[in-house]
Amino acid sequence: ASIKTPAKVEGKRVAIIGGGPTGIAAAYFCGRAGIETTIFERESCLGGVPRHVIPSFRIANEAIEKDIALMEKYGVEVKCGAPAPSVDELKKQGYTHILLAVGAWKPGKLNIPGGDADGVMAGIDFMRQVNLHEKKTLSGKVVVIGGGNIGADVARTAVRCGAESVDLYCLEAYDDMPMGEEDRSECERDGITVHAGWGQTEIVVEDGKC
């Protein structure tokens, strides 16, 4: 369907820092309202966590691209590949409103001995490397700690990267795993061994490696 260009709203310019779901949605509605809008994204493309962390077998990139294309039809400007200017600099550039939509990128930590050893990686960091094609293959045995959805994504992605075996450990009881029955079943269908009711206390390290 054709999109009618909205009348431009004078005196308002919006800068959105972050090109994930929140930034894209906000830009869409601002553009639709006729407000001059620019998204600043440090990565080379928009999409945020859904593109860079969530695996493609859960959310296809085509779905993300459709949302971006619809937003751009309303005249939203996109600037990728560099950190956004400071708030003061954006104000000097004439932006009257600034939205911080930086997303939930901070990885969790185990906070146990050995948690920072070579070979230990946060799930978000691992998925980002895979989705950006920085990490394509794995070898050896992989252990995933965490029974939530990101744990399921990491474990299933590790299988697809060629891991010899994947074992997933979580503190919760088998029927109480946060990932839910569907994701748990998908993990087991992919050959992942689920160990419920285990709490990690230490990662054994030798010569700096786990």
Coordinates of all heavy atoms in Angstrom, one line a residue, residues 45-142:
C45 N 24.4 -1.7 11.3 CA 23.1 -1.7 10.8 C 22.1 -1.7 12.0 O 22.5 -1.9 13.1 CB 22.8 -3.0 10.0 SG 23.2 -4.5 10.9
L46 N 20.8 -1.4 11.7 CA 19.8 -1.3 12.7 C 19.4 -2.7 13.1 O 19.6 -3.7 12.4 CB 18.6 -0.5 12.2 CG 18.8 0.9 11.8 CD1 17.5 1.6 11.4 CD2 19.5 1.7 12.9
G47 N 18.7 -2.8 14.2 CA 18.1 -4.1 14.6 C 18.3 -4.4 16.0 O 17.5 -5.2 16.6
G48 N 19.4 -3.9 16.7 CA 19.6 -4.1 18.1 C 19.7 -5.6 18.5 O 20.2 -6.4 17.7
V49 N 19.2 -5.9 19.7 CA 19.3 -7.2 20.2 C 18.6 -8.3 19.3 O 19.2 -9.4 19.1 CB 18.7 -7.3 21.6 CG1 18.5 -8.7 22.1 CG2 19.6 -6.6 22.6
P50 N 17.4 -8.0 18.7 CA 16.8 -9.0 17.8 C 17.7 -9.4 16.6 O 17.7 -10.6 16.2 CB 15.6 -8.3 17.3 CG 15.2 -7.4 18.4 CD 16.5 -6.9 18.9
R51 N 18.5 -8.5 16.1 CA 19.4 -8.8 15.0 C 20.7 -9.4 15.5 O 21.3 -10.3 14.9 CB 19.7 -7.6 14.1 CG 20.5 -8.0 12.9 CD 21.0 -6.8 12.1 NE 19.9 -6.0 11.5 CZ 19.4 -6.2 10.3 NH1 19.8 -7.2 9.6 NH2 18.4 -5.4 9.8
H52 N 21.3 -8.8 16.5 CA 22.7 -9.1 16.9 C 22.8 -10.2 18.0 O 23.9 -10.7 18.2 CB 23.4 -7.8 17.4 CG 23.4 -6.8 16.3 ND1 24.0 -7.0 15.1 CD2 23.0 -5.5 16.3 CE1 23.9 -5.9 14.3 NE2 23.3 -5.0 15.0
V53 N 21.7 -10.5 18.7 CA 21.8 -11.4 19.8 C 20.8 -12.6 19.6 O 21.2 -13.8 19.8 CB 21.5 -10.7 21.2 CG1 21.5 -11.8 22.3 CG2 22.5 -9.7 21.4
I54 N 19.6 -12.3 19.3 CA 18.6 -13.4 19.1 C 18.9 -14.2 17.8 O 19.2 -13.6 16.8 CB 17.2 -12.9 19.1 CG1 16.9 -12.2 20.4 CG2 16.2 -14.0 18.8 CD1 15.6 -11.5 20.5
P55 N 19.0 -15.5 17.8 CA 19.3 -16.3 16.6 C 18.3 -16.2 15.5 O 17.1 -16.0 15.8 CB 19.5 -17.7 17.2 CG 18.6 -17.7 18.4 CD 18.7 -16.4 19.0
S56 N 18.8 -16.4 14.3 CA 17.9 -16.2 13.2 C 16.8 -17.3 13.1 O 15.8 -17.1 12.5 CB 18.7 -16.2 11.9 OG 19.4 -17.4 11.8
F57 N 17.0 -18.4 13.8 CA 16.0 -19.5 13.8 C 14.8 -19.1 14.7 O 13.8 -19.7 14.6 CB 16.5 -20.8 14.1 CG 17.2 -20.9 15.5 CD1 16.5 -21.0 16.7 CD2 18.6 -21.0 15.6 CE1 17.1 -21.1 17.9 CE2 19.2 -21.1 16.8 CZ 18.5 -21.1 18.0
R58 N 15.0 -18.0 15.5 CA 13.9 -17.5 16.3 C 13.2 -16.2 15.7 O 12.0 -16.1 15.6 CB 14.4 -17.2 17.7 CG 13.3 -16.9 18.7 CD 13.8 -16.6 20.0 NE 14.5 -17.6 20.8 CZ 13.9 -18.6 21.5 NH1 12.6 -18.6 21.5 NH2 14.6 -19.5 22.1
I59 N 14.1 -15.3 15.2 CA 13.6 -14.1 14.5 C 14.3 -14.0 13.2 O 15.6 -13.8 13.2 CB 13.7 -12.9 15.4 CG1 12.9 -13.0 16.7 CG2 13.3 -11.6 14.6 CD1 13.0 -11.7 17.5
A60 N 13.7 -14.0 12.1 CA 14.3 -13.9 10.8 C 14.7 -12.4 10.5 O 13.9 -11.5 10.9 CB 13.4 -14.4 9.7
N61 N 15.8 -12.2 9.9 CA 16.3 -10.8 9.6 C 15.3 -10.2 8.6 O 15.1 -8.9 8.6 CB 17.7 -10.9 9.0 CG 18.8 -11.0 10.0 OD1 18.6 -10.6 11.2 ND2 19.9 -11.5 9.6
E62 N 14.6 -11.0 7.8 CA 13.6 -10.4 6.9 C 12.5 -9.6 7.6 O 12.0 -8.6 7.2 CB 13.0 -11.5 6.0 CG 13.9 -12.1 5.0 CD 14.9 -13.1 5.6 OE1 14.8 -13.4 6.8 OE2 15.8 -13.5 4.9
A63 N 12.1 -10.1 8.8 CA 11.1 -9.5 9.6 C 11.6 -8.1 10.1 O 10.8 -7.1 10.2 CB 10.6 -10.4 10.7
I64 N 12.8 -8.1 10.5 CA 13.4 -6.9 11.0 C 13.5 -5.9 9.9 O 13.2 -4.7 10.1 CB 14.8 -7.2 11.7 CG1 14.7 -8.1 12.8 CG2 15.5 -5.9 12.1 CD1 16.0 -8.7 13.3
E65 N 13.9 -6.3 8.7 CA 14.1 -5.4 7.6 C 12.8 -4.8 7.2 O 12.7 -3.6 6.7 CB 14.7 -6.2 6.4 CG 16.2 -6.6 6.6 CD 17.1 -5.4 6.7 OE1 16.7 -4.3 6.3 OE2 18.2 -5.6 7.2
K66 N 11.7 -5.5 7.3 CA 10.4 -5.0 7.0 C 10.0 -3.8 7.8 O 9.5 -2.8 7.4 CB 9.3 -6.1 7.0 CG 9.4 -7.1 5.9 CD 8.2 -8.1 6.1 CE 8.3 -9.1 4.9 NZ 7.2 -10.1 5.1
D67 N 10.3 -3.9 9.1 CA 10.0 -2.8 10.1 C 10.9 -1.6 9.8 O 10.4 -0.5 9.8 CB 10.3 -3.3 11.5 CG 9.2 -4.2 12.0 OD1 8.1 -4.3 11.4 OD2 9.4 -4.9 13.1
I68 N 12.2 -1.9 9.4 CA 13.1 -0.8 9.1 C 12.6 0.0 7.8 O 12.6 1.2 7.8 CB 14.5 -1.3 9.0 CG1 15.0 -1.8 10.3 CG2 15.4 -0.2 8.4 CD1 16.3 -2.5 10.2
A69 N 12.2 -0.8 6.8 CA 11.8 -0.2 5.6 C 10.6 0.6 5.7 O 10.5 1.7 5.1 CB 11.6 -1.4 4.5
L70 N 9.6 0.2 6.6 CA 8.4 0.9 6.8 C 8.7 2.2 7.5 O 8.2 3.3 7.1 CB 7.4 0.1 7.6 CG 6.1 0.7 7.9 CD1 5.3 1.1 6.6 CD2 5.2 -0.2 8.8
M71 N 9.6 2.2 8.4 CA 10.1 3.4 9.1 C 10.7 4.4 8.2 O 10.4 5.6 8.2 CB 11.0 3.0 10.2 CG 11.7 4.2 11.0 SD 13.3 3.6 11.7 CE 14.3 3.5 10.3
E72 N 11.6 3.9 7.3 CA 12.3 4.8 6.4 C 11.4 5.4 5.4 O 11.7 6.5 4.8 CB 13.4 4.0 5.7 CG 14.6 3.6 6.7 CD 15.7 2.8 6.0 OE1 15.3 2.1 5.1 OE2 16.8 3.0 6.4
K73 N 10.3 4.8 5.1 CA 9.3 5.4 4.1 C 8.7 6.7 4.6 O 8.2 7.5 3.9 CB 8.2 4.4 3.8 CG 8.6 3.2 2.9 CD 7.5 2.3 2.6 CE 7.9 1.2 1.6 NZ 6.8 0.3 1.3
Y74 N 8.8 6.9 5.9 CA 8.3 8.1 6.5 C 9.4 9.2 6.6 O 9.2 10.2 7.4 CB 7.7 7.9 7.9 CG 6.3 7.2 7.8 CD1 6.1 5.9 8.1 CD2 5.2 8.0 7.3 CE1 4.8 5.3 8.0 CE2 3.9 7.4 7.2 CZ 3.8 6.1 7.5 OH 2.5 5.5 7.4
G75 N 10.5 8.9 6.0 CA 11.6 10.0 5.9 C 12.6 10.0 7.1 O 13.3 11.0 7.2
V76 N 12.6 8.9 7.9 CA 13.5 8.9 9.0 C 15.0 8.7 8.5 O 15.2 7.9 7.6 CB 13.2 7.7 9.9 CG1 14.3 7.6 11.0 CG2 11.8 7.9 10.6
E77 N 15.9 9.5 9.0 CA 17.3 9.4 8.6 C 18.0 8.5 9.5 O 17.7 8.4 10.7 CB 18.0 10.8 8.7 CG 19.4 10.8 8.2 CD 20.1 12.2 8.3 OE1 19.5 13.1 8.9 OE2 21.2 12.3 7.9
V78 N 18.9 7.6 8.9 CA 19.6 6.6 9.7 C 21.1 6.9 9.6 O 21.6 7.0 8.5 CB 19.2 5.2 9.2 CG1 20.1 4.2 10.0 CG2 17.7 4.9 9.4
K79 N 21.8 6.9 10.7 CA 23.2 7.1 10.7 C 23.8 5.9 11.6 O 23.6 5.9 12.8 CB 23.6 8.4 11.3 CG 23.2 9.6 10.5 CD 23.7 10.9 11.0 CE 23.3 12.1 10.1 NZ 23.9 13.4 10.6
C80 N 24.5 5.0 10.9 CA 25.0 3.8 11.5 C 26.5 3.8 11.5 O 27.2 4.6 10.7 CB 24.5 2.5 10.8 SG 22.8 2.2 11.0
G81 N 27.1 3.0 12.3 CA 28.6 2.7 12.2 C 29.4 3.6 13.0 O 30.7 3.6 12.9
A82 N 28.9 4.4 13.9 CA 29.7 5.3 14.8 C 28.9 5.7 16.0 O 27.6 5.7 16.0 CB 30.0 6.6 14.0
P83 N 29.5 5.9 17.1 CA 28.8 6.3 18.3 C 28.1 7.6 18.1 O 28.5 8.5 17.3 CB 29.9 6.5 19.4 CG 31.1 5.7 18.9 CD 31.0 5.8 17.4
A84 N 26.9 7.8 18.8 CA 26.1 9.0 18.6 C 26.9 10.2 19.2 O 27.7 10.0 20.2 CB 24.8 8.8 19.3
P85 N 26.6 11.4 18.7 CA 27.2 12.6 19.3 C 26.6 12.7 20.8 O 25.6 12.1 21.1 CB 26.7 13.7 18.4 CG 26.3 13.1 17.1 CD 25.9 11.7 17.5
S86 N 27.3 13.5 21.6 CA 26.8 13.7 22.9 C 25.5 14.5 22.9 O 25.1 15.1 21.9 CB 27.9 14.5 23.7 OG 28.0 15.9 23.2
V87 N 24.8 14.5 24.0 CA 23.6 15.2 24.1 C 23.8 16.7 23.8 O 23.0 17.3 23.1 CB 22.9 15.0 25.5 CG1 21.7 15.9 25.7 CG2 22.5 13.6 25.7
D88 N 24.8 17.3 24.4 CA 25.1 18.7 24.2 C 25.3 19.0 22.7 O 24.9 20.0 22.1 CB 26.3 19.1 25.0 CG 26.0 19.2 26.4 OD1 24.8 19.3 26.8 OD2 27.0 19.2 27.3
E89 N 26.1 18.1 22.0 CA 26.3 18.3 20.6 C 25.1 18.1 19.8 O 24.8 18.9 18.8 CB 27.4 17.2 20.1 CG 27.7 17.3 18.6 CD 28.3 18.7 18.3 OE1 29.0 19.3 19.1 OE2 28.1 19.1 17.1
L90 N 24.2 17.2 20.1 CA 22.9 17.0 19.4 C 22.1 18.3 19.6 O 21.4 18.7 18.6 CB 22.2 15.8 19.9 CG 22.8 14.4 19.6 CD1 22.1 13.3 20.3 CD2 22.7 14.2 18.1
K91 N 22.1 18.9 20.7 CA 21.3 20.1 21.0 C 21.9 21.2 20.1 O 21.1 22.0 19.5 CB 21.3 20.5 22.4 CG 20.5 19.6 23.3 CD 20.6 20.0 24.8 CE 19.7 19.1 25.7 NZ 19.8 19.5 27.1
K92 N 23.2 21.3 20.0 CA 23.8 22.3 19.1 C 23.5 22.1 17.7 O 23.4 23.0 16.9 CB 25.3 22.3 19.3 CG 25.8 22.8 20.6 CD 27.4 22.6 20.7 CE 27.9 23.1 22.1 NZ 29.3 23.0 22.2
Q93 N 23.2 20.8 17.3 CA 22.8 20.5 15.9 C 21.4 20.8 15.6 O 20.9 20.7 14.5 CB 23.1 19.1 15.6 CG 24.6 18.7 15.6 CD 24.9 17.3 15.3 OE1 24.0 16.5 14.8 NE2 26.1 16.8 15.6
G94 N 20.7 21.2 16.7 CA 19.3 21.7 16.5 C 18.2 20.6 16.8 O 17.0 20.9 16.6
Y95 N 18.6 19.5 17.5 CA 17.6 18.6 17.9 C 16.9 19.1 19.1 O 17.6 19.4 20.1 CB 18.3 17.2 18.1 CG 18.7 16.5 16.9 CD1 20.1 16.6 16.5 CD2 17.8 15.8 16.1 CE1 20.5 16.0 15.3 CE2 18.2 15.2 14.9 CZ 19.6 15.3 14.5 OH 20.0 14.7 13.3
T96 N 15.6 19.1 19.1 CA 14.8 19.6 20.2 C 14.4 18.5 21.2 O 14.1 18.8 22.4 CB 13.5 20.3 19.7 OG1 12.8 19.3 18.9 CG2 13.9 21.5 18.8
H97 N 14.4 17.3 20.8 CA 14.1 16.1 21.6 C 15.1 15.0 21.4 O 15.4 14.7 20.2 CB 12.7 15.6 21.4 CG 11.6 16.7 21.6 ND1 11.4 17.7 20.8 CD2 10.7 16.8 22.7 CE1 10.4 18.4 21.2 NE2 10.0 17.9 22.4
I98 N 15.5 14.4 22.5 CA 16.5 13.3 22.4 C 16.0 12.1 23.2 O 15.6 12.2 24.3 CB 17.9 13.7 22.9 CG1 18.4 14.9 22.1 CG2 18.9 12.6 22.9 CD1 19.6 15.6 22.8
L99 N 15.9 10.9 22.5 CA 15.4 9.7 23.1 C 16.6 8.7 23.2 O 17.3 8.4 22.2 CB 14.3 9.1 22.3 CG 13.9 7.6 22.7 CD1 13.3 7.7 24.1 CD2 12.9 7.0 21.7
L100 N 16.9 8.2 24.4 CA 17.9 7.2 24.7 C 17.2 5.9 24.6 O 16.4 5.5 25.5 CB 18.6 7.4 26.0 CG 19.2 8.8 26.2 CD1 19.9 8.9 27.6 CD2 20.3 9.1 25.2
A101 N 17.5 5.1 23.6 CA 17.0 3.8 23.4 C 18.1 2.8 23.2 O 18.2 2.1 22.1 CB 16.0 3.8 22.2
V102 N 19.0 2.7 24.2 CA 20.2 2.0 24.0 C 20.1 0.5 24.2 O 21.1 -0.3 23.9 CB 21.3 2.5 24.9 CG1 21.7 4.0 24.5 CG2 20.9 2.5 26.4
G103 N 19.0 0.0 24.7 CA 18.8 -1.4 24.8 C 19.5 -2.1 26.0 O 20.1 -1.4 26.9
A104 N 19.3 -3.4 26.1 CA 19.8 -4.2 27.3 C 21.0 -5.0 26.8 O 20.9 -6.2 26.6 CB 18.7 -5.1 27.8
W105 N 22.1 -4.4 26.7 CA 23.3 -5.0 26.2 C 24.3 -5.5 27.3 O 25.2 -6.2 27.0 CB 24.1 -4.0 25.3 CG 23.4 -3.8 23.9 CD1 22.6 -2.8 23.6 CD2 23.6 -4.7 22.8 NE1 22.2 -3.0 22.3 CE2 22.8 -4.1 21.8 CE3 24.3 -5.8 22.5 CZ2 22.7 -4.6 20.5 CZ3 24.2 -6.4 21.2 CH2 23.4 -5.8 20.2
K106 N 24.1 -5.2 28.5 CA 25.0 -5.5 29.6 C 24.9 -7.0 29.9 O 23.8 -7.5 30.3 CB 24.7 -4.7 30.8 CG 25.8 -4.9 31.9 CD 25.6 -4.0 33.1 CE 26.7 -4.1 34.1 NZ 26.4 -3.2 35.3
P107 N 26.0 -7.8 29.7 CA 25.9 -9.2 30.0 C 25.9 -9.5 31.4 O 26.4 -8.7 32.3 CB 27.2 -9.7 29.3 CG 28.1 -8.6 29.3 CD 27.3 -7.3 29.2
G108 N 25.3 -10.6 31.8 CA 25.3 -11.1 33.2 C 26.7 -11.7 33.6 O 27.4 -12.1 32.7
K109 N 26.9 -11.7 34.9 CA 28.2 -12.3 35.3 C 27.9 -13.4 36.4 O 26.9 -13.4 37.1 CB 29.1 -11.3 36.0 CG 29.6 -10.2 35.0 CD 30.6 -9.3 35.6 CE 31.1 -8.3 34.6 NZ 32.1 -7.3 35.3
L110 N 28.8 -14.4 36.4 CA 28.5 -15.5 37.3 C 28.9 -15.2 38.8 O 28.3 -15.7 39.7 CB 29.4 -16.7 36.9 CG 29.0 -17.4 35.6 CD1 30.0 -18.5 35.2 CD2 27.6 -18.0 35.7
N111 N 29.9 -14.3 38.9 CA 30.4 -13.9 40.3 C 30.8 -15.1 41.1 O 30.4 -15.2 42.3 CB 29.3 -13.0 41.0 CG 29.0 -11.7 40.3 OD1 30.0 -11.1 39.9 ND2 27.8 -11.3 40.2
I112 N 31.5 -16.0 40.5 CA 32.1 -17.1 41.2 C 33.5 -17.3 40.8 O 34.0 -16.7 39.8 CB 31.3 -18.5 40.9 CG1 31.4 -18.7 39.3 CG2 29.9 -18.4 41.4 CD1 30.8 -20.1 39.0
P113 N 34.4 -18.0 41.6 CA 35.8 -18.2 41.2 C 35.8 -18.8 39.8 O 35.1 -19.8 39.5 CB 36.3 -19.1 42.3 CG 35.4 -18.8 43.5 CD 34.1 -18.5 42.9
G114 N 36.7 -18.3 39.0 CA 36.9 -18.8 37.6 C 35.9 -18.3 36.6 O 36.0 -18.6 35.4
G115 N 35.1 -17.4 37.0 CA 34.1 -16.8 36.1 C 34.6 -15.9 35.0 O 33.9 -15.7 34.0
D116 N 35.9 -15.5 35.2 CA 36.5 -14.6 34.2 C 37.6 -15.3 33.5 O 38.5 -14.7 32.8 CB 37.0 -13.3 34.8 CG 38.0 -13.6 36.0 OD1 38.2 -14.8 36.3 OD2 38.6 -12.6 36.5
A117 N 37.7 -16.7 33.5 CA 38.8 -17.4 32.9 C 38.6 -17.4 31.4 O 37.5 -17.2 30.9 CB 38.8 -18.9 33.5
D118 N 39.7 -17.7 30.7 CA 39.7 -17.9 29.3 C 38.8 -19.1 28.9 O 39.0 -20.1 29.5 CB 41.1 -18.1 28.8 CG 41.2 -18.1 27.3 OD1 40.2 -17.7 26.6 OD2 42.2 -18.6 26.7
G119 N 37.9 -18.9 28.0 CA 37.0 -19.9 27.7 C 35.6 -19.7 28.2 O 34.7 -20.5 27.9
V120 N 35.5 -18.8 29.2 CA 34.1 -18.4 29.7 C 33.6 -17.2 29.0 O 34.4 -16.2 28.9 CB 34.2 -18.2 31.2 CG1 32.8 -17.8 31.8 CG2 34.8 -19.4 31.9
M121 N 32.4 -17.2 28.5 CA 31.9 -16.1 27.7 C 30.4 -15.9 28.1 O 29.7 -16.8 28.2 CB 32.1 -16.3 26.2 CG 31.5 -15.2 25.4 SD 31.7 -15.6 23.6 CE 33.5 -15.3 23.4
A122 N 30.0 -14.6 28.2 CA 28.6 -14.3 28.4 C 27.8 -14.7 27.2 O 28.3 -14.5 26.0 CB 28.5 -12.8 28.7
G123 N 26.6 -15.1 27.4 CA 25.7 -15.5 26.3 C 25.5 -14.4 25.3 O 25.5 -14.7 24.1
I124 N 25.3 -13.2 25.7 CA 25.0 -12.1 24.8 C 26.2 -11.9 23.9 O 26.1 -11.7 22.7 CB 24.7 -10.8 25.6 CG1 23.3 -10.9 26.2 CG2 24.8 -9.6 24.7 CD1 22.8 -9.7 27.0
D125 N 27.4 -11.9 24.5 CA 28.7 -11.7 23.7 C 28.8 -12.9 22.7 O 29.2 -12.6 21.5 CB 29.9 -11.7 24.6 CG 29.9 -10.5 25.5 OD1 29.2 -9.5 25.2 OD2 30.5 -10.5 26.6
F126 N 28.6 -14.1 23.1 CA 28.7 -15.2 22.2 C 27.7 -15.1 21.0 O 28.1 -15.2 19.8 CB 28.4 -16.5 22.9 CG 28.2 -17.7 22.0 CD1 29.3 -18.3 21.3 CD2 27.0 -18.3 21.8 CE1 29.2 -19.4 20.5 CE2 26.8 -19.4 21.0 CZ 27.9 -19.9 20.3
M127 N 26.5 -14.8 21.3 CA 25.5 -14.6 20.3 C 25.8 -13.5 19.3 O 25.6 -13.6 18.1 CB 24.1 -14.5 20.9 CG 23.5 -15.7 21.6 SD 23.4 -17.2 20.5 CE 22.5 -16.6 19.2
R128 N 26.3 -12.4 19.9 CA 26.7 -11.3 19.0 C 27.8 -11.6 18.0 O 27.7 -11.3 16.9 CB 27.1 -10.1 19.9 CG 27.4 -8.8 19.1 CD 27.8 -7.7 20.1 NE 28.1 -6.5 19.3 CZ 29.3 -6.2 18.8 NH1 30.2 -7.1 18.9 NH2 29.5 -5.1 18.1
Q129 N 28.8 -12.4 18.5 CA 29.9 -12.8 17.7 C 29.3 -13.7 16.5 O 29.8 -13.6 15.4 CB 30.9 -13.5 18.5 CG 31.8 -12.6 19.3 CD 32.9 -13.3 20.0 OE1 33.3 -14.4 19.6 NE2 33.5 -12.6 21.0
V130 N 28.4 -14.6 16.9 CA 27.9 -15.5 15.9 C 27.1 -14.8 14.9 O 27.2 -14.9 13.6 CB 27.0 -16.6 16.6 CG1 26.3 -17.4 15.5 CG2 27.9 -17.5 17.4
N131 N 26.2 -13.9 15.3 CA 25.3 -13.1 14.4 C 26.1 -12.2 13.5 O 25.6 -11.9 12.4 CB 24.2 -12.4 15.2 CG 23.2 -13.3 15.7 OD1 23.2 -14.5 15.4 ND2 22.2 -12.8 16.4
L132 N 27.2 -11.7 14.0 CA 28.1 -10.8 13.2 C 29.1 -11.6 12.4 O 30.0 -11.0 11.8 CB 28.7 -9.7 14.1 CG 27.8 -8.7 14.7 CD1 28.6 -7.8 15.6 CD2 27.1 -7.9 13.7
H133 N 29.0 -12.9 12.5 CA 29.9 -13.8 11.7 C 31.4 -13.7 12.2 O 32.3 -14.0 11.4 CB 29.8 -13.5 10.2 CG 28.4 -13.6 9.7 ND1 27.7 -14.8 9.6 CD2 27.6 -12.7 9.2 CE1 26.5 -14.6 9.2 NE2 26.4 -13.3 8.9
E134 N 31.6 -13.2 13.4 CA 32.9 -13.2 14.0 C 33.3 -14.6 14.5 O 34.5 -14.9 14.6 CB 33.0 -12.1 15.1 CG 32.8 -10.7 14.6 CD 32.7 -9.7 15.7 OE1 32.8 -10.1 16.9 OE2 32.5 -8.5 15.4
K135 N 32.3 -15.3 14.9 CA 32.5 -16.7 15.3 C 31.6 -17.6 14.5 O 30.4 -17.5 14.6 CB 32.2 -16.8 16.8 CG 32.5 -18.2 17.4 CD 32.1 -18.3 18.9 CE 33.1 -17.5 19.7 NZ 34.4 -18.1 19.8
K136 N 32.2 -18.5 13.8 CA 31.4 -19.4 12.9 C 31.4 -20.9 13.4 O 30.4 -21.6 13.1 CB 31.9 -19.3 11.5 CG 31.8 -17.9 10.9 CD 32.3 -17.9 9.4 CE 32.2 -16.5 8.8 NZ 32.7 -16.5 7.4
T137 N 32.4 -21.3 14.0 CA 32.5 -22.7 14.4 C 33.0 -22.8 15.9 O 33.6 -21.9 16.4 CB 33.5 -23.5 13.5 OG1 34.8 -22.9 13.7 CG2 33.1 -23.4 12.1
L138 N 32.6 -23.9 16.5 CA 33.0 -24.3 17.8 C 33.6 -25.7 17.8 O 33.2 -26.5 16.9 CB 31.9 -24.3 18.8 CG 31.3 -22.9 19.3 CD1 30.1 -23.1 20.1 CD2 32.4 -22.2 20.0
S139 N 34.5 -26.0 18.7 CA 35.0 -27.4 18.8 C 34.9 -27.8 20.2 O 34.9 -26.9 21.1 CB 36.4 -27.5 18.2 OG 37.3 -26.6 18.9
G140 N 34.9 -29.1 20.5 CA 35.0 -29.6 21.9 C 33.6 -29.5 22.5 O 32.6 -29.3 21.9
K141 N 33.6 -29.7 23.8 CA 32.4 -29.8 24.6 C 32.0 -28.4 25.2 O 32.9 -27.6 25.6 CB 32.6 -30.7 25.8 CG 32.9 -32.2 25.3 CD 33.1 -33.1 26.5 CE 33.4 -34.5 26.0 NZ 33.6 -35.4 27.1
V142 N 30.8 -28.0 25.1 CA 30.3 -26.7 25.6 C 29.3 -26.9 26.7 O 28.4 -27.8 26.7 CB 29.5 -26.0 24.4 CG1 28.9 -24.7 24.9 CG2 30.5 -25.7 23.3

